[in-house]
Amino acid sequence: MISCQSAYATQWVKLGEAEISWGYKTPYRINLMAPKGIHDLQDIRSGTQMVQFEIEWLAPSTSQAEIQKHFKALIEGQLEGPESIKFNQTIINRFLNKLPQADRFDRWQLTYSPDAGTQVQIEGEKVHTLIGSEINRALHHAWMYRDPVTTSKLLTRLLKLGK
């Protein structure tokens, strides 16, 4: 398993991309990346392999409040219920407070490691590490299993190869 510390030196291969819509607005495109030479479909789907979600912001400007609301809904929508949300609220709030506004062409990388958490980089600068297996799984599943179309678009390269 590759550690998050070596994630910076890792050569990433793009597996697929999907545009994420908020109703009538498409604020960002998400690219799913895997370490070069290490991409097993089942491991990626189950969250047992390191992957990177790269966000390319498309909207001219997305406010910090909109971003925080979106990420809060992403994570909380994947947690098991009110008790799980309440238990993880401090971790969620710390993460949300690190997220700034985004402008068109900004790039964020969220490097997910099942063992080390999710490292958040904005424009190449590390801003936060999301620790906690339940929270990390929730964020991974929020994109990976958003809907069947998004899942297939994110995994396009692997699905074509039949891996």
Side-chain angles (χ1 to χ4, degrees):
M1 183 61 61
I2 299 169
S3 75
C4 263
Q5 291 172 336
S6 66
Y8 302 115
T10 301
Q11 230 182 336
W12 295 97
V13 175
K14 185 174 175 177
L15 301 178
E17 68 180 44
E19 291 187 350
I20 304 299
S21 296
W22 299 349
Y24 65 91
K25 183 178 176 183
T26 303
Y28 66 89
R29 176 181 306 116
I30 189 161
N31 300 302
L32 178 63
M33 316 287 276
K36 184 176 181 178
I38 307 172
H39 28 75
D40 180 87
L41 181 60
Q42 284 310 110
D43 288 348
I44 291 171
R45 290 181 103 158
S46 66
T48 59
Q49 179 186 312
M50 184 177 182
V51 294
Q52 185 178 87
F53 294 100
E54 181 183 63
I55 297 173
E56 294 177 68
W57 290 94
L58 304 174
S61 183
T62 307
S63 74
Q64 182 180 31
E66 289 176 301
I67 290 171
Q68 289 173 337
K69 180 181 173 185
H70 173 67
F71 277 89
K72 179 178 175 64
L74 275 179
I75 293 169
E76 290 181 358
Q78 294 296 317
L79 294 174
E80 298 217 2
E83 286 123 19
S84 182
I85 292 169
K86 185 176 180 182
F87 179 77
N88 289 292
Q89 199 62 62
T90 301
I91 297 168
I92 295 168
N93 289 342
R94 278 191 201 132
F95 171 63
L96 296 176
N97 288 333
K98 296 291 182 172
L99 302 178
Q101 82 164 41
D103 296 317
R104 182 177 288 150
F105 308 122
D106 283 356
R107 287 184 178 266
W108 297 9
Q109 290 83 26
L110 288 88
T111 306
Y112 166 85
S113 170
D115 299 324
T118 299
Q119 207 166 79
V120 181
Q121 287 186 314
I122 297 177
E123 295 300 315
E125 184 179 320
K126 180 182 168 192
V127 296
H128 189 66
T129 301
L130 192 58
I131 302 293
S133 60
E134 191 176 21
I135 295 291
N136 282 288
R137 227 179 357 265
L139 188 56
H140 177 273
H141 288 284
W143 284 314
M144 192 63 70
Y145 297 107
R146 181 180 181 96
D147 57 64
V149 173
T150 300
T151 300
S152 69
K153 284 183 176 181
L154 289 175
L155 296 168
T156 298
R157 184 174 180 173
L158 292 181
L159 294 171
K160 285 181 182 175
L161 295 173
K163 286 191 173 188

